Amino acid sequence: MSRLEELFGINVFSDEVMQKRLPKDTYKALHKTIADGRPLQPEVANTVACAMRDWAVEKGVTHYTHWFQPMNGVTAEKHDSFISPRENGKIILEFSGKELVHGESDASSFPSGGLRATFEARGYTAWDPTSYAFIKDGVLCIPTAFCSYGGEALDAKTPLLRSMEALNKQAVRILKLFGRDATRVISTVGPEQEYFLVDKKLYDQRKDLIFTGRTLFGAKPPKGQELDDHYSGAIKPRVKAFMTELDEELWKLGVLAKTEHNEAAPAQHEMAPIYTVTTLATDHNQLTMELMKKVALRHGLVCLLHEKPFAGVNGSGKHNNWSMCTNTGYNLLEPGNDPASSAQFLLFLTAMIKAVDEHADLLRISTASAGNDHRLGACEAPPAIISIFLGDELTAIVDSLISDSEYHAAARKDMEIGVSVLPKFPQDNTDRNRTSPFAFTGNKFEFRSLGSSASIAETNVTLNTIVADVLMSFADELEQAEDFRTALHDLIVRTLRQHNRVIFNGNGYADAWVEEAARRGLPNYASTVDALPHLLDEKNVALYARQGIYSMAELRSRYEISLEYYAKAINIEAETCLMMAEREILPACAKFAGDMGRSVRDIREAGVEPVAEAKLLRLVTERNAKLFDAIHSLREAMRNATHSENALENAQYERYMIIPAMAKVREVADDLESMVGKEYWPFPTYDDLLFNV
């Protein structure tokens, strides 16, 4: 056995471990819970808890935690030891089924959007047996859901599990119509993760990076990514050492880390895992982000997960590669050799098209954040307009169905590269479109709009739910049909004619597409505050209720939390901007101007006219005055900020008043950076940060 095979999953209470440590009947019962969604019996939980404890203790573990994902985008854990007292001052190591299945936490200390008040503190964690327990930092981590005393979901995991069940229910109905024997359908995800690495010593000198995760100041360096020389280039030794350790740490936790490379911007990189069940992929992506930060520090680096840490170069996203698979091992988005004749594939493809067209607003909302607003629409990030890329072949099939004309498949051909020693290989029948937010890539859809720092849970709740809802309407219609084949054909054609406006294979960055999308009636929510209010639109409230994903109270709580986080993020940036401008930049520029003034005086006293020095002094002092005025304007805007009970009003003020005021401060400060001597500038510049790893 190779070292990698020995290493992989060593810290996971995996299916293999359970088979070895659990009695056969217990293992079978637990497996039915995991695979088929059957209720977990108390006696099964007790046996699993004992085996889990013994396994962890053998690895030196003394504590366990219910590991959950509250609505703040990160994870939470409270550690309890296994010890229980015995007579004569002795202890025993205990871990019961009750402790495994159920825990308690202070629900009012986490974001709740009004679901919990300070005097309503009780909340519960409940074991999610579909996600494997694991050991992290010497603690047994048990993935759990998190709910309030009243049963409302206070986390990202609970709605995700609900959406998985909704998708399963409706997809199985469709498969039965085709005579398939699958009894369960799951969504799967492979989330590619982009990130930046910067030197920690330089990072520590930048208050904006420390407090906000992005640079609020920074003039463009002489070189950025113009030469296209960083993407997939040779990986620097320091970065490679980080990647190697990261892989090993992820593999120990059963994370299928597969691909790593340099991204387009200097100091930017990417890690891509193999796809897995969506709930597990969500857990794994949270662990990935946590480990990226921890491992980077061991190498004297800091991992930046903000969507736009540096202006003028690529931002970082998270490409959500989504598909549906059956428990019989079949990918429902696999076209097969002849997609035009695969009625089942075409029905699921049609469902995807309708779902994205009808609920483009929800997909945009699922990616909305203050950080992602900086990223969407440029530098390889898709635009805010949600559209679908199908490629030439599938688009031709769709067009032939819509026009009721015969489809003529393009001939498959080998790629001819023109070098005889190179092997021939079959040419793909579709290109790739890096500007499309929702692109079909062979047997899955790649949703590219997610921000790099976000949990993938909300986006996949949205995808699972909107597809489940369309499949439900399809099943309702087809189950009543007298002639299934005729009804199926008519349903596909009718639906494609109604929703083909969302299909777009062209350049998503072009101004012409913005105009064309408006003519098609596609929504364009440029910012978070434009998008979020639509979460509470009547059609969306009805959708989530119909599929059993969110109650009205749960949906409103997420709306309130998102707006509150947006406003707080901008406010933190504004406070940091003021602090750096007032305490660091303005004094540094004043010192430079003072020294330059003395130089001008000294040169004149020597009998020479200081032409260049005097001009530079004038330019710097003029900009110092502009910077002072811009700082004053920002402070006034912050002083006048609304602090009402209306979260939308607060967020809108930050968006339309604070952000422009910060931009003016930055504009002048970045101009000064290009004039003031390097030794005067108070913190590392872009050329320091981007090219010193």
Side-chain angles (χ1 to χ4, degrees), residues 69-75 156 191-196 212-214 268-269 282 284-290 292-293 303-309 315-319 366-376 448-459 528 565-566 569 573:
Q69 301 173 35
M71 293 186 289
N72 56 11
V74 293
T75 59
E192 303 168 30
Q193 178 71 56
E194 295 176 341
Y195 59 97
F196 281 81
T212 75
R214 76 179 183 100
Q268 188 185 31
H269 312 279
T282 301
H284 284 177
N285 187 248
Q286 293 287 45
L287 288 170
T288 296
M289 291 190 289
E290 179 182 335
M292 280 179 168
K293 293 178 180 179
C303 176
L304 302 179
L305 293 175
H306 193 284
E307 286 73 19
K308 196 74 170 180
S316 293
K318 191 164 351 216
H319 305 160
S366 77
T367 69
S369 70
N372 214 22
D373 282 357
H374 294 289
R375 167 183 166 262
L376 292 177
R448 297 172 51 83
S449 298
L450 278 75
S452 51
S453 67
S455 165
I456 67 172
E458 184 180 350
T459 283
T528 294
Y565 265 65
Y566 177 89
E573 289 186 353

Side-chain angles (χ1 to χ4, degrees), residues 1 11 24 75 135 154 244 267 278 344 364 376 417 420 427 479 512 610-612 670-671:
M1 182 180 290
N11 288 335
K24 287 185 179 180
T75 59
I135 296 171
L154 295 176
T244 299
T278 300
Q344 179 182 292
R364 173 66 181 94
L376 292 177
I417 304 177
S420 60
Q427 182 181 24
E479 286 171 350
V611 178
D670 288 357
D671 197 15

Side-chain angles (χ1 to χ4, degrees), residues 40-54 57 62-68 78-85 92-105 124-129 133 140-145:
L40 183 71
Q41 299 303 316
E43 60 273 12
V44 174
N46 277 319
T47 304
V48 173
C50 290
M52 195 181 289
R53 177 204 62 203
D54 292 345
V57 169
T62 57
H63 288 69
Y64 70 93
T65 181
H66 276 195
W67 184 80
F68 58 100
K78 178 185 70 174
H79 301 173
D80 289 296
S81 71
F82 290 126
I83 67 169
S84 292
I92 187 173
L93 301 184
E94 289 186 334
F95 185 52
S96 67
K98 181 180 179 182
E99 290 170 314
L100 168 63
V101 170
H102 169 263
E104 220 178 290
S105 187
Y124 300 111
T125 51
W127 178 36
D128 171 21
L140 174 64
C141 297
I142 302 159
T144 58

Side-chain angles (χ1 to χ4, degrees), residues 364 373 376 384 524-528 530-531 655:
R364 173 66 181 94
D373 282 357
L376 292 177
N524 182 7
Y525 303 129
S527 75
T528 294
D530 298 323
R655 168 68 179 88

Side-chain angles (χ1 to χ4, degrees), residues 577-595:
C577 177
L578 281 176
M579 181 180 69
M580 293 178 70
E582 289 178 327
R583 298 183 190 177
E584 298 183 82
I585 298 175
L586 200 56
C589 294
K591 186 176 188 307
F592 176 81
D595 289 349

Side-chain angles (χ1 to χ4, degrees), residues 116-410:
R116 294 271 86 188
T118 303
F119 66 92
E120 298 172 315
R122 192 179 297 277
Y124 300 111
T125 51
W127 178 36
D128 171 21
T130 66
S131 294
Y132 298 128
F134 56 90
I135 296 171
K136 177 175 69 73
D137 298 329
V139 176
L140 174 64
C141 297
I142 302 159
T144 58
F146 181 43
C147 65
S148 73
Y149 182 72
E152 298 95 349
L154 295 176
D155 66 340
K157 174 62 75 72
T158 303
L160 185 59
L161 290 168
R162 292 171 180 170
S163 71
M164 294 284 286
E165 194 52 48
L167 180 66
N168 167 62
K169 180 179 179 181
Q170 304 307 330
V172 167
R173 288 177 66 193
I174 294 293
L175 291 177
K176 285 182 178 178
L177 292 168
F178 286 92
R180 308 302 183 197
D181 59 356
T183 58
R184 194 157 187 83
V185 172
I186 57 169
S187 64
T188 60
V189 172
E192 303 168 30
Q193 178 71 56
E194 295 176 341
Y195 59 97
F196 281 81
L197 292 174
V198 297
D199 188 276
K200 188 175 187 304
K201 292 179 181 178
L202 300 176
Y203 168 91
D204 288 340
Q205 299 174 58
R206 298 271 323 205
K207 297 299 183 185
D208 47 3
L209 287 179
I210 292 171
F211 291 125
T212 75
R214 76 179 183 100
T215 53
L216 301 177
F217 301 98
K220 184 179 179 181
K223 178 180 182 294
Q225 60 189 64
E226 299 88 348
L227 298 180
D228 302 320
D229 56 347
H230 191 259
Y231 184 76
S232 293
I235 300 172
K236 295 179 180 178
R238 192 176 179 190
V239 175
K240 179 57 181 173
F242 157 81
M243 289 179 170
T244 299
E245 184 176 353
L246 176 65
D247 281 341
E248 292 187 357
E249 292 298 321
L250 290 173
W251 290 335
K252 290 176 185 177
L253 291 169
V255 179
L256 294 161
K258 176 72 172 178
T259 303
E260 56 198 26
H261 61 85
N262 291 344
E263 254 300 334
Q268 188 185 31
H269 312 279
E270 180 179 300
M271 190 284 286
I274 300 172
Y275 74 91
T276 190
V277 181
T278 300
T279 48
L280 195 57
T282 301
D283 290 353
H284 284 177
N285 187 248
Q286 293 287 45
L287 288 170
T288 296
M289 291 190 289
E290 179 182 335
L291 281 169
M292 280 179 168
K293 293 178 180 179
K294 288 181 178 178
V295 173
L297 291 173
R298 298 173 196 162
H299 294 264
L301 300 168
V302 173
C303 176
L304 302 179
L305 293 175
H306 193 284
E307 286 73 19
K308 196 74 170 180
F310 301 101
V313 297
N314 271 24
S316 293
K318 191 164 351 216
H319 305 160
N320 194 83
N321 294 283
W322 187 93
S323 191
M324 294 173 283
C325 294
T326 70
N327 61 339
T328 56
Y330 188 73
N331 184 341
L332 298 178
L333 293 180
E334 175 62 59
N337 295 327
D338 184 11
S341 63
S342 174
Q344 179 182 292
F345 166 74
L346 286 175
L347 183 63
F348 279 102
L349 178 67
T350 301
M352 297 297 303
I353 293 169
K354 179 179 180 181
V356 173
D357 185 35
E358 288 186 339
H359 301 292
D361 55 346
L362 289 179
L363 287 171
R364 173 66 181 94
I365 289 166
S366 77
T367 69
S369 70
N372 214 22
D373 282 357
H374 294 289
R375 167 183 166 262
L376 292 177
C379 296
E380 292 197 12
I385 303 166
I386 302 296
S387 63
I388 290 180
F389 169 82
L390 291 183
D392 295 339
E393 182 177 27
L394 287 183
T395 300
I397 292 170
V398 168
D399 289 343
S400 69
L401 287 166
I402 291 173
S403 62
D404 196 22
S405 59
E406 186 177 354
Y407 167 69
H408 297 284

Side-chain angles (χ1 to χ4, degrees), residues 419-630:
V419 181
S420 60
V421 298
L422 296 180
K424 293 182 179 180
F425 56 91
Q427 182 181 24
D428 289 327
N429 51 24
T430 185
D431 205 341
R432 298 180 71 187
N433 188 330
R434 308 300 288 176
T435 71
S436 175
F438 204 81
F440 187 75
T441 54
N443 61 1
K444 63 187 183 305
F445 278 96
E446 182 182 27
F447 187 35
R448 297 172 51 83
S449 298
L450 278 75
S452 51
S453 67
S455 165
I456 67 172
E458 184 180 350
T459 283
N460 287 293
V461 167
T462 303
L463 278 169
N464 292 342
T465 303
I466 64 177
V467 174
D469 200 63
V470 172
L471 293 178
M472 183 174 76
S473 68
F474 284 3
D476 288 345
E477 179 174 339
L478 294 174
E479 286 171 350
Q480 304 301 318
E482 294 182 4
D483 183 340
F484 173 71
R485 291 294 170 183
T486 300
L488 175 65
H489 173 270
D490 293 347
L491 172 62
I492 290 174
V493 171
R494 181 180 74 245
T495 304
L496 290 175
R497 286 173 178 169
Q498 291 171 345
H499 298 285
N500 72 315
R501 66 175 184 169
V502 79
I503 300 171
F504 177 66
N505 293 337
N507 180 8
Y509 292 161
D511 292 338
W513 167 234
V514 177
E515 298 171 3
E516 173 63 22
R519 285 193 292 271
R520 295 187 187 190
L522 300 179
N524 182 7
Y525 303 129
S527 75
T528 294
V529 296
D530 298 323
L532 275 172
H534 296 282
L535 182 62
L536 300 181
D537 286 353
E538 185 177 347
K539 76 174 183 70
N540 295 331
V541 174
L543 164 73
Y544 285 120
R546 187 164 56 245
Q547 295 302 325
I549 311 302
Y550 294 124
S551 67
M552 183 61 195
E554 290 172 331
L555 199 61
R556 178 166 284 281
S557 75
R558 281 150 177 80
Y559 166 77
E560 296 285 342
I561 289 169
S562 296
L563 287 172
E564 182 182 353
Y565 265 65
Y566 177 89
K568 286 180 176 178
I570 302 302
N571 185 69
I572 291 169
E573 289 186 353
E575 293 281 5
T576 306
C577 177
L578 281 176
M579 181 180 69
M580 293 178 70
E582 289 178 327
R583 298 183 190 177
E584 298 183 82
I585 298 175
L586 200 56
C589 294
K591 186 176 188 307
F592 176 81
D595 289 349
M596 186 58 63
R598 283 184 286 274
S599 295
V600 168
R601 182 194 62 200
D602 293 345
I603 294 172
R604 279 180 177 155
E605 288 178 353
V608 179
E609 183 58 30
V611 178
E613 293 81 357
K615 285 184 177 180
L616 180 58
L617 175 61
R618 184 172 63 254
L619 289 173
V620 170
T621 54
E622 286 174 353
R623 281 159 179 76
N624 280 354
K626 289 182 180 179
L627 179 60
F628 182 86
D629 290 342

